Structure formats: structure tokens, C-alpha cells
């Protein structure tokens, strides 16, 4: 499963709901490109200040239900996760480093990185990462049998802490 931007949030929620319902997931590899795992501060401002609120803003609100619960549950360890992102954008309305649409802090949410077997950034903006040659090569690697998610890759090891366990 490959998802871009908010598609990463929607697809993760779908996978978590499917696992919780007891149905087989049927997904071995999950790659996101520029997904805002911590939401978007602009959407949060819109929810709090605008007299008319778009439904999508609620989903992207850093304090909202969707973003707040995305990492309350982990994906099965059998799912190989890859995080790809661009860092070349510059939306001057955003106070933090961004890809032109999403903050790099949001893309690199610590829980998302902890779950990923492969994390890579590219000199591209939010939409440009979709056509970036390096990102395409990384995606091909992630989906191929010789890459970090392939049959020849070492199985992830599980680290345990007092409150959780996660693959590295």
C-alpha cells in the first residue's frame, strides 16, 4: 500500500480498524510519502478560529480525533513500513521547516519513525516527491525483493520498553 499526504493518515486508520475488527490485513508493505502524522497547524487554527469549518480541517487538526489516535495502536510487526518525504518546500506562513505544505516535524513524528524500517528525505517539495527520481528509486527498493522489506531482508528485531514494544 502506497499513500501520499493525507492518504497516509486515512490508510493507516483503515489498516488499524481492519486489524481491530479481527479481519486479515493482507498488506505486507506500507509506504507513505509526505504524510502529516502530527496534523497541520493551519487546519487546527481553522477549526479553532473560522466561523465555517471544513470537515477535512477536523481530520488534520493536531488536536483532533484522527491525528490524536493514529498511533494509539501499532501496525502488525509483519507490515514493513517506509517513510519518504521531501524537504525542499518553503511555505513562509508555516513557522517550522516544511515541504511547502507539511512541516517536517509532522512527517517525522517519532512514533512513525520508530515503526518504520526505512526513512528517507529528498530535495523535493510536497507534490514534487511524487515525481522525484530518488524517491521513485527508494519506493522501488521498498517494494522489491532485494530491499529492506524483501524476502532477503533481515527480520525486524523487537525492542521492548516498560510501556510498549516496537520493531526497528
Amino acid at each position: 500500500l502506497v499513500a501520499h499526504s493525507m492518504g497516509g493518515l486515512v490508510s493507516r486508520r483503515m489498516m488499524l480498524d481492519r486489524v481491530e475488527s479481527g479481519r486479515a490485513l493482507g498488506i505486507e508493505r506500507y509506504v507513505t510519502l509526505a504524510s502529516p502524522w502530527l496534523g497541520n497547524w493551519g487546519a487546527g487554527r481553522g477549526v479553532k478560529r473560522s466561523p465555517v469549518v471544513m470537515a477535512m480541517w477536523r481530520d488534520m487538526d493536531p488536536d483532533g480525533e484522527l491525528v490524536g489516535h493514529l498511533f494509539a495502536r501499532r501496525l502488525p510487526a509483519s507490515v514493513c513500513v517506509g517513510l519518504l518525504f521531501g524537504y525542499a518546500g518553503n511555505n513562509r506562513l508555516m513557522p517550522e521547516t516544511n515541504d511547502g505544505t507539511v512541516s517536517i516535524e509532522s512527517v517525522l513524528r517519532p512514533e512513525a519513525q520508530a515503526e518504520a524500517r526505512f526513512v528517507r528525505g529528498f530535495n523535493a517539495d510536497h507534490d514534487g516527491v511524487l515525481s522525484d527520481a530518488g524517491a521513485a528509486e527508494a519506493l522501488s527498493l521498498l517494494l522489491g525483493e532485494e530491499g529492506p522489506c524483501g524476502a532477503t531482508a533481515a527480520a525486524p528485531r523487537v525492542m521492548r520498553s516498560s510501556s510498549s514494544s516496537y520493531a526497528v
Side-chain angles (χ1 to χ4, degrees):
L1 178 60
V2 179
H4 175 249
S5 196
M6 190 171 173
L9 282 65
V10 172
S11 57
R12 180 180 176 86
R13 176 65 183 264
M14 176 276 302
M15 290 190 297
L16 292 171
D17 289 350
R18 186 171 179 96
V19 169
E20 187 174 293
S21 74
R23 298 184 322 189
L25 185 56
I27 296 170
E28 296 175 1
R29 300 167 195 201
Y30 178 50
V31 182
T32 61
L33 296 105
S35 290
W37 299 116
L38 289 172
N40 180 282
W41 70 270
R45 280 184 66 186
V47 168
K48 291 170 184 64
R49 296 183 179 180
S50 179
V52 178
V53 176
M54 296 179 63
M56 182 186 81
W57 294 354
R58 293 187 200 289
D59 290 336
M60 294 296 294
D61 181 358
D63 298 323
E65 188 270 332
L66 177 63
V67 170
H69 292 92
L70 279 174
F71 289 89
R73 299 172 284 161
R74 296 191 52 82
L75 292 173
S78 60
V79 178
C80 181
V81 178
L83 299 178
L84 307 179
F85 64 97
Y87 53 78
N90 185 18
N91 181 339
R92 294 176 194 261
L93 297 176
M94 297 177 74
E96 59 275 304
T97 305
N98 62 80
D99 68 1
T101 302
V102 174
S103 75
I104 302 307
E105 177 185 21
S106 186
V107 171
L108 294 176
R109 181 177 179 160
E111 298 94 332
Q113 290 185 69
E115 204 170 58
R117 197 173 304 175
F118 187 90
V119 178
R120 189 74 36 93
F122 302 93
N123 188 20
D125 65 17
H126 188 74
D127 292 332
V129 74
L130 295 171
S131 58
D132 181 83
E137 186 177 318
L139 180 60
S140 180
L141 180 70
L142 284 162
L143 298 178
E145 289 306 311
E146 301 299 318
C149 296
T152 59
R157 62 185 196 276
V158 175
M159 298 180 69
R160 300 198 185 278
S161 70
S162 59
S163 60
S164 64
S165 64
Y166 42 90
V168 207

